[in-house]
Amino acid sequence: MVPKFPLLFFLLLSAVSACKPNKPANQSIESASDSAEFVLINEPVTPHHDWPRENNVVVQWLAEPDQLHPNNGISSAKNELFLYLHTFLLLVDLRTNKLTPVLAENLPEVSKDGMKVKFKLRTIARWDDGSHITSADVAFTIKAGKCKLTDNPHQKAVWNNLSGFQTGEDAYSFTLLMKQPYIHNVSMWVDLPIIQKKFYDPEGLLDGFTVEQMEDSLMLHNPKVKKWAGQFNSGKYSRDVNFISGAGAYRITDWKAGQSITISRKNNLWSEGLKGIFFNALPEKIIFKIIRDPNAASLDLLSQQSDVSAALSTRQLLLLKEDSLFNKNYHSRFVDSFFFTYAGMNNKPELTGRKKLFNNASVRKAMAYLTPVDEINRIVNKGLNKRMIGPVSFLKKDFNNQLKAIPFDPGKAQKLLTEAGWTDSNGNRILDKMIDGKHTEFEFSIMYMTTVPEWKDMASMMADAYRKAGMKVELLPVDYPAWITSAQQLNYDMMLGSWGQSSLPDDFTQVWHSASILNGGSNFSGFSNSTADALIDSIKIEMNETKRLELSLRFQQLVYDEQPVIFLFASVRRMAVHKRFEKVELYFDRPGILLNNLSLIQSVALQP
């Protein structure tokens, strides 16, 4: 789905020009540059006799998707696979970070009021059975997404603003009717694969219903809709390789649960000859190999059993880069991304009966001054990560370089804490305060996921700094299910988390709007501010980029001032790609590399 993440800043329109992406001073020479939109590796290499010659790509994965239903479920691994298995109306060109047509012939025409979006499909596009992809398939995709009985609760909000569907002058033209202007009325399609009506509704059970009717509660009881939904939600469309079908260049040919997923290039591709990074299908096979153990992953690379990895830790890749055998066979880079790491503080502890420690902005600012972010980066990340100042990546054009990173300053933190009423009144070296008539000591836990090795070190360094300031801190390691449950329920004190943005404009509703607290949203900090809510509501419907940027700047400043979370690092991808492939491109946006574009060096393919 289109990511909905907060922008933040409060500056006047006169300051808009200050928001061009300025790269931080500690920028790595191996990552972004002021002019680059992606990383191109085009170094001359000398092929070696022991390099694999097969035109296949083996990529390391940490985890496989739980299922591959085209409509239901969600995971980043699934979304990556869908780039090769399915086709989309539009995608983000990872070279330019701009929308580009894929199944659509051109970018759509949008009415002045933003309420109508007109598409024209490529007439050459076909399904695997040879039939044309038409507007009827798009209408069916929308019906499947909006149907109240389909098992895709995470996706329903994406479809909510689409109210109607009008067929055009031919089978390849159609117009989408929207309920209101919205910045993602077009870009919503980048995460929504078009699915074949004939394949997923062979009986035509939905033929008699319109897109508008699928939102009607009466559909919950309609026998035809119930029958279709029961079949559509069944497991065969999720895990049976014979029923995982799309119009992409590859199909699944093997799925060994917990071990690997193999996709193979189709014959007679409809997209053959079209120019663009999403139309290439150079490798014959792409094998996604599940390797969870870091040591096994490193050994797999050293023995040339894998071609690509984006799942290495910083420590792993730095160690591998010291190995001459690895350097002989692999390109390696630390590449900027739109992801970032933060320390969330519970802004609304009263909702779950926890201590009222971080519901005060001064205290939250003090915690930011007490966090040795640069020292953590130096020790844990070897200085490779950039400071995250607010929730907008420096890679984005609306990033505002007027906001400055909060320095490590225990003296300033102590002053803020004292002003907020936190002192050591009983001499036990722990700060305390009377809250709601009760003596309360500054005692809390830092929750972090055990699946991220670096987070334990980060949490330990943070805890040490906080203890020196007179706080009693415990570490709380948990697995992912426990982490996400506690975060969603605001049942924590402080926690380490990460968030993924994209190059698309941000809708901040999901993460920062008060309506997203304990309501299926991702406002895990419990941040609530009426001015912020008003800005968020305005940003997502403001179609004028200049005006939207002004609102974004104001929002960024507001969040910076409130400091609901401690912004830590902009993440880097740790990439390794075998040198037997030429002109390798690495991207800042997800998934970081397009495996379908990896071209085997001709001299390697022809070597005896």
Side-chain angles (χ1 to χ4, degrees):
M1 292 184 296
V2 174
K4 299 171 183 160
F5 311 107
L7 292 173
L8 326 156
F9 235 2
F10 197 143
L11 293 178
L12 299 177
L13 186 58
S14 60
V16 168
S17 61
C19 290
K20 292 182 179 180
N22 269 4
K23 306 300 181 286
N26 63 338
Q27 169 105 9
S28 165
I29 61 173
E30 290 188 324
S31 55
S33 69
D34 286 332
S35 59
E37 296 292 346
F38 63 97
V39 175
L40 172 64
I41 303 176
N42 194 21
E43 304 167 359
V45 298
T46 302
H48 294 271
H49 65 87
D50 62 339
W51 283 4
R53 297 193 302 273
E54 297 82 6
N55 188 22
N56 300 329
V57 175
V58 181
V59 58
Q60 293 183 356
W61 259 12
L62 286 175
E64 66 186 329
D66 56 346
Q67 47 96 344
L68 288 173
H69 195 285
N71 186 75
N72 304 344
I74 182 171
S75 75
S76 58
K78 170 181 167 177
N79 291 340
E80 182 177 352
L81 266 175
F82 278 11
L83 288 173
Y84 314 114
L85 301 177
H86 289 278
T87 191
F88 300 76
L89 289 177
L90 310 167
L91 285 170
V92 175
D93 187 329
L94 301 177
R95 289 172 171 167
T96 65
N97 292 330
K98 296 179 180 179
L99 289 176
T100 187
V102 181
L103 182 56
E105 197 171 69
N106 297 291
L107 292 178
E109 298 177 17
V110 182
S111 62
K112 286 186 177 181
D113 61 4
M115 302 289 280
K116 294 183 178 181
V117 183
K118 184 177 181 180
F119 279 95
K120 173 78 172 180
L121 300 176
R122 297 181 189 271
T123 56
I124 63 171
R126 284 174 168 78
W127 298 108
D128 289 350
D129 61 9
S131 63
H132 287 269
I133 301 176
T134 69
S135 59
D137 296 302
V138 179
F140 172 74
T141 300
I142 298 171
K143 292 178 189 179
K146 291 178 77 71
C147 178
K148 291 182 176 295
L149 293 173
T150 49
D151 188 18
N152 64 336
H154 66 282
Q155 202 182 77
K156 288 291 191 282
V158 179
W159 295 110
N160 185 55
N161 199 43
L162 199 163
S163 64
F165 182 95
Q166 293 179 345
T167 54
E169 59 273 12
D170 55 38
Y172 305 98
S173 304
F174 59 92
T175 299
L176 306 175
L177 307 179
M178 316 307 294
K179 296 177 183 176
Q180 66 175 355
Y182 177 47
I183 57 175
H184 291 311
N185 278 347
V186 174
S187 58
M188 62 179 282
W189 291 99
V190 303
D191 286 322
L192 300 171
I194 303 303
I195 58 178
Q196 187 179 14
K197 173 183 173 297
K198 180 181 176 181
F199 187 86
Y200 290 100
D201 186 13
E203 298 178 54
L205 294 171
L206 296 188
D207 286 354
F209 304 100
T210 65
V211 164
E212 293 90 337
Q213 287 176 311
M214 300 313 293
E215 289 186 298
D216 196 321
S217 296
L218 293 175
M219 293 298 103
L220 293 168
H221 310 289
N222 185 283
K224 284 188 176 181
V225 177
K226 289 175 68 175
K227 180 181 179 182
W228 170 80
Q231 296 171 352
F232 187 67
N233 289 331
S234 68
K236 72 178 183 181
Y237 291 125
S238 298
R239 296 197 66 87
D240 188 333
V241 296
N242 297 310
F243 287 91
I244 297 174
S245 176
Y250 292 82
R251 63 165 54 90
I252 290 186
T253 51
D254 187 47
W255 187 348
K256 294 182 175 68
Q259 299 180 48
S260 65
I261 295 177
T262 300
I263 62 176
S264 302
R265 185 175 60 201
K266 297 175 182 177
N267 297 320
N268 303 317
L269 297 176
W270 68 264
S271 57
E272 192 167 5
L274 292 176
K275 295 182 178 179
I277 56 177
F278 297 109
F279 297 121
N280 293 325
L282 301 175
E284 294 176 9
K285 292 182 179 180
I286 303 175
I287 300 99
F288 298 88
K289 184 191 292 188
I290 315 303
I291 306 179
R292 296 183 176 88
D293 180 69
N295 292 325
S298 295
L299 291 172
D300 205 65
L301 290 168
L302 290 171
S303 59
Q304 300 187 75
Q305 298 302 304
S306 294
D307 297 302
V308 177
S309 180
L312 301 167
S313 69
T314 298
R315 187 174 299 150
Q316 261 184 291
L317 185 52
L318 287 173
L319 285 173
L320 284 169
K321 286 169 74 70
E322 295 176 2
D323 190 291
S324 59
L325 182 63
F326 173 81
N327 292 324
K328 181 193 82 169
N329 297 325
Y330 290 88
H331 300 293
S332 59
R333 295 290 190 277
F334 294 92
V335 182
D336 291 322
S337 79
F338 291 99
F339 283 71
F340 67 89
T341 306
Y342 65 93
M345 294 174 283
N346 194 334
N347 290 211
K348 284 197 173 298
E350 66 273 12
L351 295 179
T352 48
R354 303 189 74 86
K355 285 185 178 181
K356 295 180 180 179
L357 302 177
F358 306 117
N359 57 333
N360 180 287
S362 294
V363 173
R364 296 194 296 267
K365 289 179 184 177
M367 300 307 295
Y369 281 113
L370 284 175
T371 305
V373 182
D374 292 334
E375 184 71 0
I376 293 172
N377 188 31
R378 184 182 67 82
I379 294 176
V380 178
N381 301 319
K382 310 306 176 186
L384 290 167
N385 290 35
K386 287 75 174 176
R387 284 290 301 265
M388 193 74 186
I389 299 170
V392 174
S393 169
F394 66 84
L395 294 170
K396 304 189 76 159
K397 64 181 181 181
D398 45 0
F399 166 77
N400 193 300
N401 59 15
Q402 298 302 302
L403 294 183
K404 304 302 179 183
I406 295 177
F408 178 62
D409 191 338
K412 194 161 188 176
Q414 198 68 53
K415 181 180 178 182
L416 287 170
L417 290 168
T418 301
E419 291 174 353
W422 288 99
T423 60
D424 180 12
S425 65
N426 56 11
N428 68 347
R429 298 185 180 180
I430 303 295
L431 297 176
D432 58 75
K433 179 182 178 180
M434 293 297 293
I435 300 178
D436 297 333
K438 182 180 178 181
H439 178 266
T440 304
E441 294 199 331
F442 211 123
E443 179 181 0
F444 66 97
S445 61
I446 303 176
M447 179 177 70
Y448 64 91
M449 277 187 283
T450 55
T451 51
V452 186
E454 293 88 351
W455 283 6
K456 178 181 179 181
D457 296 334
M458 290 170 58
S460 296
M461 292 183 68
M462 292 167 66
D464 287 344
Y466 302 153
R467 291 183 186 118
K468 292 175 183 176
M471 301 173 185
K472 186 176 181 180
V473 188
E474 294 183 356
L475 300 184
L476 182 60
V478 297
D479 58 14
Y480 175 74
W483 182 92
I484 191 66
T485 299
S486 297
Q488 289 173 334
Q489 296 176 355
L490 285 180
N491 189 22
Y492 73 93
D493 300 317
M494 178 181 283
M495 59 90 163
L496 290 177
S498 64
W499 203 255
Q501 294 181 326
S502 78
S503 57
L504 295 170
D506 291 296
D507 172 1
F508 300 116
T509 304
Q510 183 181 350
V511 177
W512 299 103
H513 201 287
S514 61
S516 298
I517 302 173
L518 302 180
N519 191 30
S522 302
N523 189 343
F524 297 157
S525 68
F527 174 66
S528 178
N529 183 287
S530 59
T531 302
D533 286 351
L535 286 168
I536 292 169
D537 293 338
S538 296
I539 288 168
K540 68 181 181 182
I541 63 172
E542 180 54 69
M543 307 307 291
N544 182 288
E545 288 191 15
T546 301
K547 293 180 179 179
R548 187 169 68 247
L549 179 56
E550 178 187 2
L551 295 170
S552 170
L553 297 178
R554 293 177 58 190
F555 182 54
Q556 291 181 64
Q557 182 71 58
L558 190 155
V559 173
Y560 180 85
D561 292 340
E562 289 289 325
Q563 205 70 33
V565 305
I566 302 168
F567 296 100
L568 299 174
F569 311 112
S571 303
V572 292
R573 289 190 181 88
R574 285 77 65 182
M575 307 288 295
V577 183
H578 202 288
K579 290 183 177 180
R580 66 194 188 98
F581 300 105
E582 62 181 355
K583 297 180 180 178
V584 175
E585 295 182 0
L586 305 176
Y587 309 111
F588 307 143
D589 214 340
R590 290 173 284 184
I593 186 171
L594 288 178
L595 303 169
N596 62 298
N597 283 310
L598 290 180
S599 177
L600 192 65
I601 296 174
Q602 192 66 16
S603 58
V604 174
L606 296 177
Q607 68 181 351

